[in-house]
Amino acid sequence: MTTVDSIIESFPDKQAAALAAVRSGLHELLPTAVEDLSWGMPTLRVEGIIVMSFLGFSHHNSLFPGPEVQALLGSALDGYITTKGTIHFDQHAAPPKAFLKKLVEARITVINKTFPKKSGAFLELYKNGVLKAKGAYKGEAMHGPWSFYRKDGTLMRRGSFRAGEQVGMWITYDTAGQPYKETQFSR
């Protein structure tokens, strides 16, 4: 069975070390990310959405953040070779963590701009990929169940909207996940 570990280990030692450093750096920046293989590449996802893929090649290593991210990064890409949606980096050295952070934050910005979907589905992520809010829109207004989270991923508040107004019971949770405040809204 092919795994992220087996892919990284298939490269020469120095290249594998650079890829492992990228993997570690991305996990540090995206604490809730789930790792899988997409198109044969190690990939990190949050809420099922691809944030970043990476892979080694014969003369370089690459990150795959997408073309929209490259447009946001501008001069931060100076010194890197880029192709549509791809950033090449040294085969034997991972990019600096400060660069990876800018890259991840730009990707999260791009992801957030894709919501709400035509279906009305909405989510927003913090810069570290942790879910900030999830719900739906009906037209231009928040509608139906919504949940809001803290930067550490713990549930902060949950309730429903009808045509943009809070309705029904809203519960606020403490940092341990226990309800500590209930507010009844009527319309």
Side-chain angles (χ1 to χ4, degrees):
M1 179 169 98
T2 304
T3 65
V4 172
D5 287 331
S6 68
I7 288 174
I8 290 173
E9 292 166 2
S10 73
F11 291 94
D13 290 346
K14 286 185 180 180
Q15 188 172 14
L19 292 168
V22 166
R23 178 190 194 188
S24 174
L26 290 173
H27 275 291
E28 186 177 315
L29 294 166
L30 297 162
T32 61
V34 174
E35 187 176 74
D36 68 12
L37 295 173
S38 294
W39 300 285
M41 296 184 289
T43 300
L44 279 80
R45 296 174 184 265
V46 292
E47 297 300 312
I49 301 166
I50 293 175
V51 178
M52 193 81 52
S53 296
F54 61 94
L55 193 60
F57 297 91
S58 58
H59 299 293
H60 65 276
N61 292 329
S62 290
L63 292 157
F64 298 85
E68 305 92 347
V69 170
Q70 291 169 309
L72 289 176
L73 288 176
S75 64
L77 291 172
D78 291 350
Y80 293 95
I81 295 171
T82 61
T83 61
K84 187 177 180 181
T86 305
I87 300 168
H88 298 198
F89 63 96
D90 188 300
Q91 192 175 28
H92 301 124
K97 283 194 178 181
F99 176 77
L100 287 177
K101 183 176 181 180
K102 286 180 186 178
L103 189 61
V104 164
E105 288 179 357
R107 178 68 181 129
I108 297 299
T109 297
V110 168
I111 290 168
N112 284 342
K113 287 181 181 180
T114 67
F115 290 93
K117 299 293 186 187
K118 287 182 182 181
S119 66
F122 177 85
L123 69 75
E124 182 178 4
L125 304 171
Y126 287 105
K127 289 181 180 182
N128 67 352
V130 170
L131 184 61
K132 183 177 185 178
K134 188 172 188 173
Y137 278 82
K138 187 174 185 179
E140 300 289 318
M142 298 165 117
H143 193 81
W146 276 74
S147 297
F148 299 89
Y149 301 85
R150 293 178 183 83
K151 285 184 181 180
D152 66 3
T154 58
L155 179 62
M156 182 171 56
R157 198 149 199 242
R158 179 175 282 158
S160 290
F161 287 93
R162 185 179 308 133
E165 294 185 28
Q166 292 174 300
V167 295
M169 182 64 69
W170 277 75
I171 301 172
T172 303
Y173 299 85
D174 64 21
T175 56
Q178 297 302 310
Y180 78 89
K181 181 180 175 186
E182 293 183 357
T183 308
Q184 181 68 42
F185 290 91
S186 60
R187 189 164 173 210

